Amino acid sequence: GSLYPEAVHVIVRGDSRAASVAELAGRRIAVGQTGSASRATALRILDAHGLRPDDIQLLDLPLNEALLGLRQQQVDAVIQVIGVPADSIRDALTEVSLRLMPLSQRAIDTLTAPGTGLFAHTIPRGAYATQRQDVRTVATAALLLVAPDLAESEVRTITRYVFGGTRDFAARGSAQGTLVSAANAHTGLSVPLHIAAAKALDALAAPAGR
């Protein structure tokens, strides 16, 4: 099942003159560590806005180092795929003014074509302290996966436990956990839903008393 969306964040300093992703040409952009899925997605984001690796200076930095570089003006933009709100980004906002940059609609349409594993998503205003507007972007789903040979009874138990709505994920420190529900479990699925999980989710979503 789908747990929660992991949204693409394009982050610049609050005083950046760039108004769109396309305007990041020639800039120093932190795209994540070599070999990471987030880096691969970041390159797709840039490509969808007409930016090739030769058009920019790519920096292969993990998120915390990238945010530090942004604060010290050694990085011009950071692209990261992460759940909302991300603690590391919220913490960085206490040190420097940052701004989330929306993706263009054309890029969103390209990136969310069938089979891409991405879907259109909005980071709602207020998700971060200084965010005054909704930000259009794309996301991939954080998935809960099982091996195909797991017993149906075990899959059913796991599904009920995780998606049943009785787990207080927020109290355990997970902001993203508040999005885990049977209603959201189908969002952005890129692999088949286990038949036992499907039945358990249908039962969880059914009206009380049904």
Side-chain angles (χ1 to χ4, degrees), residues 33-119:
Q33 293 175 287
T34 301
S36 69
S38 185
R39 185 183 189 278
T41 301
L43 295 179
R44 290 169 62 188
I45 299 300
L46 293 170
D47 183 72
H49 288 87
L51 298 176
R52 307 295 184 265
D54 290 344
D55 299 328
I56 52 188
Q57 183 179 343
L58 294 178
L59 303 175
D60 299 328
L61 298 173
L63 180 58
N64 286 335
E65 290 183 26
L67 291 171
L68 178 61
L70 202 57
R71 188 175 75 198
Q72 297 177 342
Q73 300 189 55
Q74 298 170 345
V75 172
D76 298 309
V78 176
I79 302 179
Q80 180 72 31
V81 182
I82 197 168
V84 179
D87 288 341
S88 52
I89 297 174
R90 288 197 294 190
D91 291 345
L93 281 166
T94 65
E95 302 289 340
V96 64
S97 174
L98 300 176
R99 173 163 53 90
L100 286 177
M101 187 173 286
L103 307 191
S104 72
Q105 189 58 52
R106 177 178 292 183
I108 291 173
D109 292 341
T110 298
L111 291 161
T112 57
T116 61
L118 297 171
F119 53 92

Side-chain angles (χ1 to χ4, degrees), residues 9 22 43 50 86 125 176 182 184 190 196 201:
H9 292 61
L43 295 179
R125 64 179 180 176
Q176 290 82 24
N184 295 334
S190 53
L201 289 170

